[in-house]
Amino acid sequence: MTSTSRKSAYRQGVIDSSPFILVIIPFSTLFGVLATEAGLSVFETLAFSVVVIAGAAQFTALQLMQENAPTVVVLISALAVNLRMAMYSASLTPYIGAAPLWQRALCAYMTVDQSYVVGVSKFEAEPQMTVPERVSYFLGAVTPIVPLWYLFTLVGAVLGAQVPDSWALDFAIPITFLAMIAPMFRTAAHVVAALVAVVVAIAAAGVPYSLGLIIAGIAGMMAGAQTELWLERRGRPT
């Protein structure tokens, strides 16, 4: 494996994930602002992003902390939101599982929604890629994301309440997830799972401590799995 091919894979990863910069900046800035408004110091806010590095879990934990939810509920909810990372890891293992331990550890730490979506799409489209090329591509995919997540979390924390409400930075949250999940609606099971999760999330909006989202996620997964089984029995593609 030549150094040139690894560098080329790394550059392509950077290019492919660069569009996410448009949402990562307001997303991380918003977290920094809200975290300091919730009472966290600038250092605590930055440490939160560096240690957890998972926007959905961070916002979930922050909201529950503002609602004075019990610590155990905050932890369980954040872990439940981040259970998708375990599925991401299982999905990535066939592609980069043969890499050295330190590379796998680095990729595991930097596995976020954006890097997973970009990485898996590339690996599925180009199965001839070698393991070193895949690792280089994956690290390239996180280069425009992770450093900016840290930087603009810090910016948001420093700015704090100085950011006017008219900026409406919270638009970045739904846009980020729509941009990531829309290309993944490849089968009927995916669509059913998403629709059921949305309906249940709306119906369970009044459940305390935002636990309705967890209920909706479980319902969506169950509906998707049942749809796949039903289509398989009928001999149709899932």
Side-chain angles (χ1 to χ4, degrees):
M1 178 53 50
T2 65
S3 175
T4 300
S5 61
R6 290 197 297 268
K7 289 180 179 177
S8 177
Y10 177 85
R11 286 195 298 270
Q12 190 60 51
V14 173
I15 293 170
D16 290 347
S17 65
S18 292
F20 287 112
I21 292 175
L22 297 176
V23 288
I24 285 296
I25 290 176
F27 197 21
S28 53
T29 302
L30 176 63
F31 175 76
V33 171
L34 295 181
T36 51
E37 287 182 351
L40 298 182
S41 68
V42 172
F43 174 78
E44 290 170 337
T45 301
L46 181 59
F48 202 164
S49 278
V50 172
V51 172
V52 180
I53 192 172
Q58 289 177 227
F59 276 99
T60 298
L62 188 63
Q63 180 180 346
L64 292 173
M65 289 165 60
Q66 289 178 304
E67 295 176 359
N68 296 316
T71 302
V72 66
V73 173
V74 175
L75 293 175
I76 291 175
S77 298
L79 287 172
V81 171
N82 257 10
L83 279 177
R84 70 191 189 284
M85 297 300 173
M87 293 184 283
Y88 291 173
S89 296
S91 179
L92 287 169
T93 297
Y95 300 109
I96 61 177
L101 177 61
W102 72 270
Q103 292 182 359
R104 284 182 281 138
L106 184 59
C107 289
Y109 170 70
M110 293 190 172
T111 296
V112 293
D113 297 293
Q114 296 87 350
S115 64
Y116 170 77
V117 169
V118 172
V120 166
S121 297
K122 180 71 171 182
F123 302 155
E124 289 179 347
E126 299 185 19
Q128 75 279 5
M129 291 180 72
T130 64
V131 172
E133 286 177 330
R134 290 170 184 159
V135 171
S136 296
Y137 180 87
F138 190 86
L139 294 179
V142 300
T143 297
I145 296 170
V146 174
L148 290 180
W149 180 256
Y150 299 154
L151 175 60
F152 282 91
T153 291
L154 179 60
V155 169
V158 171
L159 291 178
Q162 298 178 40
V163 176
D165 293 338
S166 59
W167 285 20
L169 294 177
D170 52 349
F171 82 94
I173 300 175
I175 288 179
T176 297
F177 286 98
L178 284 173
M180 291 186 296
I181 66 173
M184 301 178 73
F185 288 161
R186 300 175 183 173
T187 68
H190 293 160
V191 175
V192 170
L195 289 176
V196 169
V198 169
V199 172
V200 174
I202 294 174
V207 176
Y209 304 132
S210 299
L211 295 178
L213 292 177
I214 298 176
I215 296 172
I218 294 173
M221 288 187 286
M222 293 174 62
Q226 288 300 314
T227 301
E228 284 190 342
L229 291 174
W230 182 76
L231 290 173
E232 286 176 0
R233 293 192 191 104
R234 295 179 62 86
R236 296 180 183 179
T238 57

